[in-house]
Each structure stands twice: as C-alpha cells, then as structure tokens.
Amino acid sequence: LGVEQTSFQLGKTEVTGSYRICYCMRSRAASGVCQQPRDFEQPAGELSVGGTMESQLQECNQGSACPVMLRGTAFDSRDRILIFYMSSFCGDTDSAAYPAWIFPTKPTEIVPDTFMGSYRARYLINAAEPGRYRICHCQYVPGAECLSPTASNPLAPELSRF
C-alpha cells in the first residue's frame, strides 16, 4: 500500500484557537457514511487558527494619530491592518472598497496578553476623513503576503487577504 494524500476545503474560519482534526474511514463508519461525530475516531492532526479574537469598536479623531489595539493569537510583524468603508467587507478586492489615503499598516507593538495566552497587537493609523470604517486584519502566512511584491506600488495590498 502506498501513501495517499487528500485535501479538504475547510472554508473560512471565524474563531481562533487550536483544534484537533479527526478522520473517518467510510468502511468503519456505523452507517457506511461519515456523518456522525462518533464516526470520526481516527486522529489526523491539529489545526491552529490564528488571527483576531473579536470585533472591536475604536474611536479616533480626524487628523490625529489613532492607536488601534487588537487581541488575538500568533501575531507577526508582517501582519497588516487596512480600513475599509462600512459599505464594503473585509476581503473586498475592489480598490474603491477602502480610502485612497490609507495604506496597509504594520503593528508597532506585539505584547503578551493576560487573556488565555493571547497577544495584543498595537497599530497606529491616521484618519484623514471622518466616517465609520471597518478594521480588517491580514495575518502573515508564508507564501501569501499581505502586500503584493509584484505590484507597481509595493504597498499595494492583496485585498483578498484582509
């Protein structure tokens, strides 16, 4: 018997944390179909989901430096935040989804938090115009940069990563 490899699309994760991956072999499932939790009896690994833990309301004054503090797991100095208009959503790939005056912003500080082994990342943005904005986070993943290294503007964000 050779080693086989299978990929599974897990979808978009919403909650950070560590998870155990369990596998179901159809021939061992009670009904011959993998659908009951008890059917997934074989350990297959672990999954660590990093990122921010919750949505937060931040208030800033126009033209002033605005500290944005995020709580989460596995922050990296190559992470970025970008603010989008409230009428858009995080990951919107239309360049009109975010203000032209803002660039992807890196953290100024990453410190351990007392909340369940998490971290706090501090970002500093400058709001050039009044309004309500959505704060979107791009977690650094090797091979999937938050900024486009091939764009004519090296600060061009890979919008689908936010």
Side-chain angles (χ1 to χ4, degrees):
L1 272 183
V3 175
E4 294 182 19
Q5 182 175 354
T6 303
S7 296
F8 297 90
Q9 184 68 355
L10 300 177
K12 186 175 181 179
T13 58
E14 299 292 334
V15 180
T16 62
S18 294
Y19 301 90
R20 185 179 322 271
I21 300 172
C22 299
Y23 180 76
C24 169
M25 186 183 302
R26 189 170 43 128
S27 62
R28 294 179 58 143
S31 65
V33 179
C34 298
Q35 56 187 204
Q36 300 297 322
R38 68 177 178 266
D39 296 333
F40 295 83
E41 63 186 7
Q42 296 177 302
E46 294 181 9
L47 174 66
S48 177
V49 178
T52 57
M53 290 184 162
E54 73 271 334
S55 296
Q56 301 172 355
L57 176 64
Q58 307 279 332
E59 292 189 20
C60 301
N61 292 318
Q62 180 182 6
S64 298
C66 176
V68 173
M69 202 63 113
L70 299 179
R71 176 181 280 147
T73 59
F75 285 119
D76 188 280
S77 63
R78 293 165 287 194
D79 288 2
R80 298 291 184 268
I81 62 168
L82 186 62
I83 62 172
F84 283 70
Y85 292 113
M86 288 301 287
S87 58
S88 301
F89 55 90
C90 295
D92 191 336
T93 57
D94 184 353
S95 61
Y98 66 96
W101 45 262
I102 192 75
F103 292 103
T105 305
K106 66 182 181 178
T108 58
E109 178 182 46
I110 299 172
V111 295
D113 198 357
T114 57
F115 180 74
M116 295 179 11
S118 64
Y119 290 85
R120 287 180 293 136
R122 182 176 190 262
Y123 297 82
L124 205 55
I125 61 172
N126 194 336
E129 64 186 58
R132 289 179 48 93
Y133 301 95
R134 188 179 312 279
I135 301 169
C136 299
H137 175 253
C138 174
Q139 184 174 16
Y140 170 75
V141 175
E145 309 292 329
C146 296
L147 301 178
S148 174
T150 58
S152 57
N153 174 359
L155 291 179
E158 291 290 345
L159 293 173
S160 63
R161 295 269 298 120
F162 283 87

